[in-house]
Amino acid sequence: MKIKSTLKLPVGQRGKTIIESLKPDNLANMESKTLSDENSITLRTEKLSSLISVTDDLLMNAKIAEDLDFSGAKND
């Protein structure tokens, strides 16, 4: 079975900052996009358990990146 999942983040600088902070951890089966109308990470896999695991990691790391971005913005 082939599975494809796309995590879409807010358009604009906040979504782009999150995507850029996650990009160094991308695996070979992941693709990040930071376009004017789309910020997304697409994951392709053959195992549902891998999809669940990687998605969980991505969401946790995205939350941390978002929290750091908000904290930085409040302190500027």
Side-chain angles (χ1 to χ4, degrees):
M1 168 173 42
K2 293 187 180 196
I3 304 167
K4 176 182 167 185
S5 176
T6 301
L7 174 65
K8 294 189 178 192
L9 290 122
V11 173
Q13 188 59 44
R14 182 176 296 144
K16 183 177 179 179
T17 299
I18 293 169
I19 294 285
E20 292 297 327
S21 69
L22 298 175
K23 199 179 271 190
D25 295 329
N26 277 7
L27 303 170
N29 61 339
M30 298 169 70
E31 178 187 2
S32 296
K33 289 184 185 177
T34 52
L35 307 171
S36 62
D37 63 342
E38 177 184 5
N39 291 314
S40 65
I41 300 172
T42 300
L43 170 66
R44 290 174 179 81
T45 185
E46 293 186 8
K47 294 182 180 179
L48 187 55
S49 60
S50 294
L51 175 68
I52 292 168
S53 217
V54 172
T55 301
D56 183 56
D57 288 346
L58 277 172
L59 291 172
M60 289 303 295
N61 291 334
K63 181 181 179 345
I64 291 167
E66 183 180 46
D67 289 349
L68 290 172
D69 185 43
F70 285 143
S71 297
K74 290 178 185 174
N75 294 327
D76 286 343

